[in-house]
Each structure stands twice: as structure tokens, then as C-alpha cells.
Amino acid sequence: MVDGIGRVLGDRYRLTALIGTGASASVYLADDRKLGRQVAVKVLHPALVDDAAFLRRFREEARSAAQLNHPGLMAVYDTGEEDSGPYLVLQYLGGGSLRAMLDVGHRLSVSQVAALGVEAGQALEAADAAGIVHRDIKPANMLFGSDGRLRLADFGLARALSESGFTDHSDRLVGTARYAAPEQARGVRVDGKADVYALGLVLIECATGTVPLLKEGPVETLMARLETPVPVPPELGPLVPLLERMGQPDPASRPSADEVVDALLALTPSLARPEPLPLAGVDLAEPGGDDDLTVLPSDDRTGLLPPVEGAPPTGRHPRRRWILAGLAALLVVLGGGGAAVWAITRPPTYPVPDVGNGSIQEARTKLAQAMAASKDVKWKVVERAEFSRTTAVDGVTSQSPGPQTQLRDGGTVTVAYSKGQPPVNIPPVAGKSVADATKLLQDARLVPGPQINEANETVAAGLVLTSKVGAQRDPTVVPEQSVVSLVVSTGPAPRTVPDVTGKSQADATAAITGAGLRVAVGPASFSDAAVGTVVSSDPPAGRSVSRDSTVTISLSKGPDLVTVPDVKGMKAQAAINKLQDAGLQVTGQFGPPNGKVLITDPGAGSQVPRNTSVVIYLQP
């Protein structure tokens, strides 16, 4: 296809340089003469032109891929067909492929692996939302723009090629065996979990330079993955638990693409800032290549996908390669994928018991009993704790392989069990109304508990002060469905009126305002107390009142004095009347009843308090 340089496809795309060649296509750098931009043109080989099944699927998948709009996916601009074969017009990415980066010996740090996983996971999440499965995630299909942003390429092409030469095998094993998921060897329908498995292998390779569970040939590789979880090297550090989940043989035990992204983002704060990736760039001088282990030689038409990028010779004896190709073809014809060969050579097996309806302790017992009953089969049991919204603590959430699966000696049984509800952040509720705060709790999958009222000097009554879980005040993270109480302000605490009787006005004012109350001065009153001292308050001392209430004090204006009148010589009754009119009380009378007043006690002219007792003395 090198002689294709200079050709113009669709009266628009002029091929200017060869980027790479492979078993199914050649990729060119081209000028889009209509829009004046550089694009990449993937020209599929002429051998595919007469394949009606391929062309039908190719057109369908090209339309689906063109509808994907995400910064992590290589854009499909156009498609067309020439006499020499169909072609795709794609976004040109000048940063090169991850494959090229790894081939020159670059290894990624844990932080770089995590960042790469987030970008790839977000792209797979977008494709999964559109109902599209890649089926051939590998470093050669992970390209970088000049800005360093990752894009996934060749969505839909793997599925189209899987139908070349036959029909009804769109969900059989397609893609590159080096990164194939176990279900792709079983001949079953695959979903986005297969891409998650492949991505996990790629991330491990980025850090270590090797692909786990990679055997001598494609069939051996596929057989090794049917039941064995992907081993994750410890140098992946905090990524190990997630990568182990991504590498589970049972798709149901793997996280989805969005869960992978969430898990990696949750780890980001604990990781060092990743350095920029050393982009390999695009070499336009020589064809690009991919050393991916292919399932079949490129001219075999069994439906197992050869890689899109070129693969250099492996150095294996041709006869052996054809034997492996024939064996792989037989697997597809038999319809059981790897199960056909496995049935011929498998070691002793024993059915895995159903441990999914009890606790992890019960699961351990059942598995131990099953291995004891089998006598010649011993399994490795892996337990994995995970958060669960539906299963109580220590209850089994899943098992892999499933019940009654025939598992060989040395196989692995993975049992996941609940460690309780997943954690959630307590939403900010301070300063909100009870209704608004309650809704925030419910939206966060928390259970509003009994309201706790609490006085507060600054927050208005009825507004939320904080939240409380058990004895913990202001918690930040709690399990979902936790009971969370709202602490609600009742406003300022009540005040007790201080006793200021006998104090000066200044001292009384200081005591009352110091208690958070206001002071008013009422009318002065007569009192035996010193003039100007407090004789009473309203409300009285000891009364509980709200903050800022007013306490009215009454000051003394001294005693109420009257002058004892002169009643000497007056008849007794007349004297009594005059004394009483003056505000005095006659409490004693001595002498003849018809006599006249001689003297009084106190005597006439004396200044005495009102209502003072007076005694009169009479003479004949």
C-alpha cells in the first residue's frame, strides 16, 4: 500500500505518508482538501471488498462509532469505499501510541498508571453508555494527541472483522488474544466488562512491562485465563485491589468502567502528582507495528480477529502456527471456545458449592466441606470484602466461579462479602432549615433521626447547627443508611433575673446587662432603704426570661415622713380623727374617757414615718 501515497480518496483525502500497516489495514496521513486539515485514513485491505458480511457490519459499526462524541475517543470523521477497499477517515493524533511508548522501554509510575486508567475508563464509560463494546483494548489502540490526552481508537472495527467470511459470530472471540478476557474464549456474548478486563492487563503492563497470564501461544493464553484471576504485582501499590477486581475471570465480579473511574479518582489524593507521559510521536518514515499476540494468522477466515496494526513475525515454526490456528478454528466450530480443548485434557474437577446465601463464615465451612468430599481437589479460596447496599455485614455478595461450576484442582474460588454500607459524605447542613437539611440527608441515602434542640447565642431558632450520629457530633463520613440527627437551634438560652435589691442603680444595671437582659428604671418609691438604691425589680429576682428581655427596677426615695399634729386640749375622738388624717395610727389611749388630750407620744411636731403608731394621754 506504500504506492498509495499521492492517491485522492473520495475526491477529498490526499494520502501523503504511510503511518502503519497491518493484517487488515494500512493507515495513512492525509490532507483533507475540503477543510484544510490533516487526518488519518485507515484503508482496509482489498481482500475484504468481496465479503458481504464484513461490509454490512463495517458500515453499521462505522456509523455507531461516528456517533460517539467524547474527548477520550478518536473521532470518526467520514467513511467511504473505493474499488481497492473501504476506508475510514479519522482524527489524526500526533502523539503516537501507548504501544510505541512501551516498546522503547518506558515504564509508567503508579500515579501515571492511575491517570491513564482514569482517561481510558472515562472513554469506555462513554462507549458503554452508547451500547458499544470495543473488544480489542490494547496499547496499539490507545493513542495520544500532541496535547498528551489519551484517545481510544478502532471502536467497532473488531466486531466488523469478526464477521468477515461467516455470520452469527459477532459475539465470539474477537480481538488480540494477548489482552482477551476469559468470556471471549467461551463463545458467549460479551459486554463492557471484557474491555475492563483488557484495560486492567494494559495498566499492569504499563508499570511492569509484562502482560499477566501470557502463555506461549494464543490458545494456551486463553485457557490460562478461564478460571484464574489476574495476578497483580505488588509494585502497583494502592492500585492492586482494583486491578485484582478488574482481572476476575467472572465478569459479574468485575467493576464497570464507571466504577473503575470512581475508584481511581478516590485514590488520586493519596498519589503523587503524575509526570507528563513521554510521548513517542508518529514515525512517518517506516510502517508502524504491534507485537500483540494474535489469535490467528492474518489470512485465516475463522472469524477470530487479527490485529489492525501490523504484527512482526514471532519466529515460531510455521507448522506450529498453523496447528494453533487450526485448533483455534476448531474451538469456534465446536461453539464452545476454549471449552472444547479443556474437555479433552482437563484435570480432575469438582462442582463449586453455592455459598451466596449466607455469611462468609458459612461460606468457609461449605467450601471446606466440598474440598474434603472431593478428596483429590483442593482450591485456593480468596476472600474480598466490599461495600454493599443490599447485603448485611459479613453476608456473601458474590462468588466466582458460580455454583456448580466444575473447578479443577488448584483453581481459585473468590468469595466477596459485605463490609457494610458504602461510605458517604455527610452533606453540609449548618445554617439550613430543618426541611432543607432533611432532604439533603435523604438525597445522600441517609436516614434522618430524632431532632436535637440546642440553645445557641448566634444562630436563629429553627436553623440547623450541625449533624450528629450516635455520640459523634459533626461527623464527615458515615455508612449509607446511617441514622443522622439534626441539631437545631432554639435561639439564645433563657436568662435568670439577678437579685439587685439594695444595690445602687449603676451596680444593678451592670448585673442585669451582664446577664444578657435590658434595664429600665420605673418610678421611685418610699422605702426605708437609702435613697437611690434598688427596692424592687419587675420581673422579680429568680424569674426565667428570654435573652434581651427588659427588667424594670424601682429606686428608693427614702421613707414617707409625716408631722405629728398638735391635738392638746382636744376631746379624745377628735384627736384620734386628726392624727389619722395626718397618716398616723392611734394605738393607745390612757386617762378618763371624757377627758382632754394632755400629750401624745410621739409628741406634736415630730417627723415620723407614715402609719407610725401614736399613743394619747388624757386628763379630766
Side-chain angles (χ1 to χ4, degrees):
M1 293 299 292
V2 176
D3 58 3
I5 296 176
R7 290 176 55 204
V8 178
L9 303 182
D11 294 327
R12 178 174 177 178
Y13 306 105
R14 180 176 178 273
L15 309 184
T16 60
L18 180 66
I19 296 176
T21 60
S24 60
S26 295
V27 182
Y28 293 88
L29 179 65
D31 289 329
D32 181 347
R33 301 196 302 180
K34 182 176 180 180
L35 297 180
R37 64 180 176 182
Q38 285 188 316
V39 295
V41 177
K42 184 180 287 273
V43 181
L44 302 183
H45 287 341
L48 298 170
V49 174
D50 298 327
D51 192 327
F54 166 76
L55 291 178
R56 174 181 59 81
R57 176 60 73 183
F58 172 78
R59 296 185 186 106
E60 293 175 358
E61 296 296 325
R63 282 194 295 270
S64 297
Q67 294 173 2
L68 291 174
N69 182 19
H70 188 274
L73 303 175
M74 174 185 272
V76 177
Y77 295 144
D78 196 4
T79 181
E81 296 180 27
E82 297 279 326
D83 292 340
S84 58
Y87 63 89
L88 283 172
V89 182
L90 308 165
Q91 177 184 15
Y92 173 63
L93 300 172
S97 70
L98 179 62
R99 176 78 276 149
M101 187 189 305
L102 298 178
D103 282 348
V104 296
H106 288 299
R107 298 294 174 260
L108 274 58
S109 68
V110 171
S111 297
Q112 289 173 319
V113 170
L116 185 73
V118 169
E119 288 194 276
Q122 290 173 332
L124 290 178
E125 183 179 359
D128 195 33
I132 296 179
V133 182
H134 193 293
R135 295 178 172 81
D136 197 20
I137 295 296
K138 59 185 178 182
N141 284 336
M142 303 174 75
L143 309 179
F144 298 92
S146 299
D147 59 357
R149 177 181 287 276
L150 174 71
R151 275 87 165 179
L152 299 185
D154 282 351
F155 267 92
L157 187 59
R159 189 174 184 183
L161 286 169
S162 74
E163 291 197 350
S164 61
F166 65 101
T167 59
D168 296 331
H169 289 277
S170 62
D171 290 304
R172 299 291 184 183
L173 174 59
V174 297
T176 307
R178 180 189 293 265
Y179 305 97
E183 59 267 30
Q184 290 176 277
R186 295 191 181 106
V188 298
R189 180 177 297 274
V190 300
D191 58 17
K193 295 292 187 70
D195 291 341
V196 168
Y197 185 96
L199 176 60
L201 297 179
V202 171
L203 296 180
I204 294 173
E205 183 184 11
C206 286
T208 65
T210 59
V211 179
L213 296 179
L214 188 63
K215 303 302 180 181
E216 184 176 358
V219 174
E220 294 91 336
T221 295
L222 299 174
M223 295 302 99
R225 293 178 181 169
L226 285 177
E227 297 178 349
T228 305
V230 172
V232 182
E235 54 260 42
L236 272 298
L239 304 186
V240 170
L242 174 62
L243 291 170
E244 287 178 341
R245 292 178 58 205
M246 295 170 70
Q248 290 299 310
D250 182 3
S253 298
R254 294 178 213 146
S256 59
D258 60 324
E259 291 172 330
V260 170
V261 173
D262 289 344
L264 289 172
L265 291 176
L267 291 172
T268 300
S270 64
L271 300 176
R273 183 181 181 87
E275 296 293 329
L277 295 177
L279 303 183
V282 176
D283 186 357
L284 301 179
E286 299 180 1
D290 185 352
D291 63 356
D292 288 344
L293 178 65
T294 60
V295 177
L296 288 179
S298 62
D299 55 352
D300 193 285
R301 304 304 297 278
T302 65
L304 302 179
L305 172 65
V308 174
E309 286 73 23
T314 62
R316 295 192 181 94
H317 193 283
R319 177 178 177 81
R320 181 173 184 182
R321 290 167 54 202
W322 283 107
I323 290 174
L324 293 177
L327 177 57
L330 174 62
L331 299 183
V332 175
V333 171
L334 291 176
V341 171
W342 193 245
I344 298 173
T345 61
R346 70 182 181 185
T349 63
Y350 195 82
V352 177
D354 184 356
V355 299
N357 296 318
S359 66
I360 184 62
Q361 292 81 4
E362 293 169 338
R364 293 168 186 153
T365 300
K366 288 182 179 179
L367 290 169
Q369 291 172 343
M371 286 186 281
S374 69
K375 296 182 180 179
D376 57 354
V377 173
K378 292 293 181 288
W379 301 318
K380 178 184 177 182
V381 178
V382 176
E383 297 178 1
R384 185 180 74 247
E386 61 185 16
F387 294 111
S388 174
R389 292 190 174 98
T390 57
T391 305
V393 174
D394 286 341
V396 174
T397 57
S398 66
Q399 68 176 95
S400 177
Q404 301 308 309
T405 300
Q406 294 290 330
L407 185 61
R408 62 179 173 80
D409 181 41
T412 299
V413 179
T414 301
V415 182
Y417 64 95
S418 171
K419 58 179 179 180
Q421 295 282 344
V424 295
N425 293 321
I426 297 285
V429 295
K432 300 188 179 300
S433 68
V434 174
D436 289 346
T438 298
K439 186 176 187 305
L440 286 175
L441 294 179
Q442 293 170 335
D443 290 345
R445 302 179 66 87
L446 298 168
V447 179
Q451 178 175 312
I452 301 172
N453 295 324
E454 185 177 286
N456 188 274
E457 295 298 304
T458 58
V459 178
L463 297 183
V464 176
L465 297 172
T466 186
S467 56
K468 192 173 183 181
V469 176
Q472 184 181 5
R473 189 182 179 92
D474 196 23
T476 55
V477 178
V478 295
E480 280 189 4
Q481 301 303 318
S482 293
V483 176
V484 180
S485 293
L486 296 175
V487 182
V488 181
S489 172
T490 57
R495 287 352 195 221
T496 300
V497 177
D499 186 0
V500 293
T501 302
K503 295 182 180 292
S504 67
Q505 181 177 345
D507 290 346
T509 298
I512 293 172
T513 56
L517 301 171
R518 302 178 187 276
V519 179
V521 179
S525 60
F526 292 108
S527 169
D528 290 338
V531 175
T533 59
V534 177
V535 294
S536 65
S537 67
D538 182 23
R543 178 75 58 83
S544 179
V545 296
S546 60
R547 192 190 71 178
D548 296 326
S549 294
T550 298
V551 177
T552 301
I553 57 175
S554 179
L555 302 177
S556 173
K557 58 181 180 179
D560 185 8
L561 299 178
V562 298
T563 302
V564 177
D566 185 4
V567 293
K568 184 177 181 180
M570 297 177 64
K571 291 288 188 180
Q573 188 58 49
I576 291 172
N577 290 340
K578 189 172 183 177
L579 290 171
Q580 289 178 341
D581 289 342
L584 300 170
Q585 301 292 328
V586 178
T587 59
Q589 177 180 331
F590 298 95
N594 295 323
K596 294 180 181 180
V597 175
L598 177 63
I599 59 172
T600 61
D601 185 20
S606 301
Q607 293 285 316
V608 296
R610 186 179 296 276
N611 295 319
T612 295
S613 295
V614 179
V615 176
I616 61 176
Y617 295 90
L618 303 174
Q619 66 180 354

